[in-house]
Amino acid sequence: MTAKQTSLPVSGMTCAACVNVVEKSIGKLEGVSEVQVNLALERATVTYDPQQVSTDALVERVRKGGYDVRTATADLAITGMTCANCVRAVEKGVSRLDGILDVSVNLATEKATVTYLPGAVTRRDIIDQVERIGYGVIDAGINDRDAEQDAREAEITRQRNLLLLGAVFTIPLFLLSMGRDFGLLGAWAHEPWVNFLFWALATPVQFVVGWQYYEGAVKALRNGSANMDVLVALGSSVAYFYSIVVTFGLAPGHVYFETAAVIITLIVVGKLLEARAKGRTSEALRKLMDLRAKTARIIRGGEEIEVPVESVATGDVLVVRPGEKIPVDGRVLSGHSAVDESMVTGESLPVDKTAGDSVIGATINRQGLLHVEATAVGRDTALAQIVRLMEEAQSGKAPIQRLADQVAAVFVPAVIAVALVTFLVWMVLVPAATFTDALIRLVAVLVIACPCAMGLATPTAVMVGTGRGAEKGILFRSSAALERAHGLTAVVLDKTGTITRGEPTVTDVVVAQGAQAVPAGGPPPDPRGDLLRLAASAERGSEHPLGRPSWRRPRRKTSP
């Protein structure tokens, strides 16, 4: 059996070290031939042999490594079931699909609850599978819940709430601490109980706001690696626990509770910005998918009904009225019209369509009524294939990203080693330095060297590049092609439609010399204006594309 490829939406990754952990963890499974993890997309693309390893095993492997896989749930009404054997048939049949994690069918309510990976299988695939088994599905028209988008929005909200909580405690702690250090608060600020106040303010930040970094550090160390969470947890903990020792009088020195709190709060600011950046990475893909029609009119049982576009099946006859989007790829059965295909082909003029011609989903029917037979739906449509091409380009690793991942694999251990060396240098080789001086330098190295940007920069750049390209109508087959694009010296276009605006535009108005006489004593003539008025009058009742009122005025002034 040939190898399969699936996409796992992984959550919980924070840096390139996490990417390496997930890749190595999945790669150890027998039957897995290739693993590519994209930090910006938070997605793992796995090529594997389905006879040796299942999707469930891949998900379990990710979760065992301390990360999670986002899932979606589809609730479907099943018709035609009569006994427990029917229930087992539906459960087993749907479970055969790649990307299905759990299937639960209730005979009494005739409902099936399916938990699946949104990147590996779609709601339409599940419905088609149930129908192939021999049962019916009543689709209420509820679109799949975008589990990835929901999870990202939830993460943004969580980080925002943590930031607000951190700010509530960190700002007064920082102001009080700095005010004491600069002698602005008076003698009372140097009383021993003030240190306990600082401790009380710092503790919620350390163990509520900063708990995510302790969890991340434990996960990484449990998998035999180190990530940015290890650095943040080490740096803030050293400052926090050293300050506790000073607070109880077990060692002389200055407390640094505000340092620990500020470190964590500022890192949360970065976390929030990172979460927002990840949430925007797929915006271009969503915009492309939004181009398709949301509903379709189909003829079933001799009646015309409106259904969600996800419910359209191959062979359905669709009714497309003037001005509507064509829901899916198909073939014209009857009718005559002009279809605007500029969003796909770049062709500036609508293309005439008659019986037997093919049409593309998401293009716009400009004029006549069309009856179209659906020939490609769901993943098989031209628009879906364009989106898939973009997803593959964004999921793949550019050569520079592979280099960054290799560096990140040894970066954190190297930073910890440098921090320890810095501490020893200040303790041993700097005579005037105290333990506190050395400790401050150690914390600075640990915190400042967090490799977040290094791990996120390249995949984010690829995402932005491919996304901006898609908005301009330029698609990249792979991230490697995007990286090599800087070396292009020539671009060859195969047709003029590639570089047009996708709609006709009036560029010049030319009037023959002497076409209009100058009236005696009247205003000066306006040959171009008269010609435009005459042309507009003639075209007012025409259905020709050039007669539509979307033309533009000339861009430059021309001589009569």
Side-chain angles (χ1 to χ4, degrees):
M1 181 178 291
T2 58
K4 284 189 175 182
Q5 189 177 83
T6 191
S7 181
L8 306 177
V10 181
S11 62
M13 297 186 296
T14 57
C15 65
C18 299
V19 170
N20 289 327
V21 171
V22 175
E23 287 182 341
K24 290 179 181 179
S25 181
I26 298 176
K28 292 177 181 178
L29 286 174
E30 186 176 357
V32 174
S33 56
E34 184 180 6
V35 185
Q36 286 192 348
V37 178
N38 187 297
L39 179 60
L41 278 176
E42 294 185 304
R43 186 175 294 277
T45 303
V46 186
T47 303
Y48 67 101
D49 184 350
Q51 290 186 336
Q52 294 181 283
V53 63
S54 65
T55 307
D56 288 343
L58 299 177
V59 174
E60 181 62 26
R61 192 72 176 184
V62 173
R63 289 174 173 167
K64 187 177 292 185
Y67 303 92
D68 198 12
V69 177
R70 302 187 186 97
T71 61
T73 301
D75 293 318
L76 304 174
I78 311 296
T79 61
M81 296 189 299
T82 58
C83 62
N85 287 332
C86 298
V87 171
R88 285 194 292 271
V90 173
E91 290 180 342
K92 289 183 178 179
V94 174
S95 297
R96 293 193 190 103
L97 289 175
D98 183 46
I100 300 296
L101 301 179
D102 182 66
V103 184
S104 177
V105 179
N106 189 306
L107 179 61
T109 60
E110 293 188 311
K111 291 288 183 67
T113 301
V114 184
T115 304
Y116 62 98
L117 297 174
V121 66
T122 66
R123 183 188 187 92
R124 182 73 250 175
D125 295 333
I126 298 170
I127 293 173
D128 290 343
Q129 181 71 353
V130 174
E131 291 175 346
R132 278 193 293 268
I133 298 169
Y135 301 92
V137 179
I138 300 176
D139 190 0
I142 301 175
N143 293 329
D144 290 340
R145 178 176 61 86
D146 190 346
E148 293 184 66
Q149 184 64 18
D150 289 348
R152 285 183 174 132
E153 290 177 356
E155 177 64 14
I156 292 173
T157 301
R158 188 174 78 95
Q159 294 298 337
R160 185 185 298 117
N161 293 338
L162 289 174
L163 176 59
L164 292 175
L165 177 63
V168 167
F169 289 96
T170 300
I171 292 175
L173 173 60
F174 178 79
L175 293 177
L176 289 172
S177 180
M178 292 299 100
R180 183 175 71 173
D181 291 347
F182 287 101
L184 302 177
L185 300 181
W188 66 268
H190 297 277
E191 295 293 331
W193 63 268
V194 175
N195 287 345
F196 287 92
L197 174 62
F198 290 174
W199 183 21
L201 290 172
T203 299
V205 180
Q206 188 73 28
F207 296 109
V208 177
V209 181
W211 187 251
Q212 57 184 326
Y213 304 115
Y214 285 104
E215 287 184 329
V218 170
K219 291 176 184 177
L221 296 174
R222 189 171 60 197
N223 287 283
S225 65
N227 59 8
M228 64 153 285
D229 291 333
V230 174
L231 299 182
V232 175
L234 276 176
S236 61
S237 296
V238 167
Y240 177 82
F241 289 107
Y242 170 75
S243 299
I244 292 177
V245 173
V246 174
T247 298
F248 281 96
L250 301 178
H254 188 281
V255 295
Y256 292 95
F257 287 117
E258 83 286 351
T259 301
V262 168
I263 287 172
I264 291 176
T265 303
L266 290 180
I267 294 294
V268 171
V269 173
K271 277 282 213 178
L272 176 59
L273 296 176
E274 177 186 320
R276 293 178 63 182
K278 289 178 179 178
R280 293 172 179 167
T281 52
S282 300
E283 186 174 351
L285 291 179
R286 290 195 296 272
K287 286 182 178 179
L288 275 178
M289 292 304 295
D290 287 343
L291 292 176
R292 65 177 185 174
K294 302 298 186 293
T295 61
R297 293 186 180 90
I298 62 175
I299 298 177
R300 285 183 181 172
E303 295 183 0
E304 182 181 319
I305 60 174
E306 186 171 331
V307 299
V309 70
E310 291 84 4
S311 299
V312 177
T314 303
D316 282 344
V317 177
L318 296 86
V319 179
V320 186
R321 294 188 171 91
E324 294 181 342
K325 289 183 179 181
I326 298 173
V328 296
D329 296 358
R331 179 174 59 88
V332 178
L333 296 178
S334 62
H336 179 275
S337 182
V339 177
D340 182 357
E341 297 182 342
S342 59
M343 56 82 63
V344 175
T345 65
E347 185 61 46
S348 58
L349 292 177
V351 181
D352 287 336
K353 298 292 182 180
T354 58
D357 291 337
S358 60
V359 290
I360 304 171
T363 56
I364 301 174
N365 179 24
R366 287 296 188 189
Q367 296 177 353
L369 179 71
L370 294 177
H371 285 79
V372 178
E373 179 187 6
T375 57
V377 299
R379 293 183 173 186
D380 298 326
T381 63
L383 182 61
Q385 291 175 12
I386 292 173
V387 172
R388 191 178 308 123
L389 180 66
M390 280 193 61
E391 287 178 336
E392 291 173 356
Q394 293 178 342
S395 299
K397 286 189 177 182
I400 189 64
Q401 178 62 32
R402 298 182 187 277
L403 176 61
D405 289 347
Q406 292 174 357
V407 173
V410 296
F411 185 81
V412 175
V415 168
I416 295 175
V418 170
L420 292 175
V421 170
T422 301
F423 179 83
L424 294 175
V425 167
W426 275 81
M427 285 294 294
V428 177
L429 301 182
V430 182
T434 63
F435 177 82
T436 301
D437 294 331
L439 188 67
I440 291 174
R441 273 67 182 183
L442 180 143
V443 172
V445 172
L446 290 175
V447 175
I448 294 173
C450 288
C452 312
M454 183 180 68
L456 196 60
T458 301
T460 302
V462 170
M463 291 294 303
V464 172
T466 54
R468 289 290 294 168
E471 291 176 1
K472 302 297 183 181
I474 304 171
L475 302 180
F476 292 91
R477 185 175 297 274
S478 66
S479 54
L482 175 62
E483 182 177 333
R484 291 196 296 268
H486 73 90
L488 292 177
T489 57
V491 177
V492 180
L493 305 175
D494 64 340
K495 58 180 180 179
T496 57
T498 306
I499 56 175
T500 64
R501 291 178 175 268
E503 61 181 18
T505 301
V506 176
T507 59
D508 297 276
V509 178
V510 181
V511 181
Q513 292 288 343
Q516 183 173 348
V518 178
D526 182 12
R528 291 184 302 150
D530 293 340
L531 179 58
L532 286 174
R533 282 191 291 273
L534 291 173
S537 299
E539 292 283 357
R540 187 168 184 177
S542 173
E543 293 184 350
H544 191 276
L546 291 179
R548 296 179 63 247
S550 61
W551 57 271
R552 300 183 179 184
R553 293 188 179 276
R555 295 184 192 171
R556 59 183 180 273
K557 185 176 181 180
T558 56
S559 300

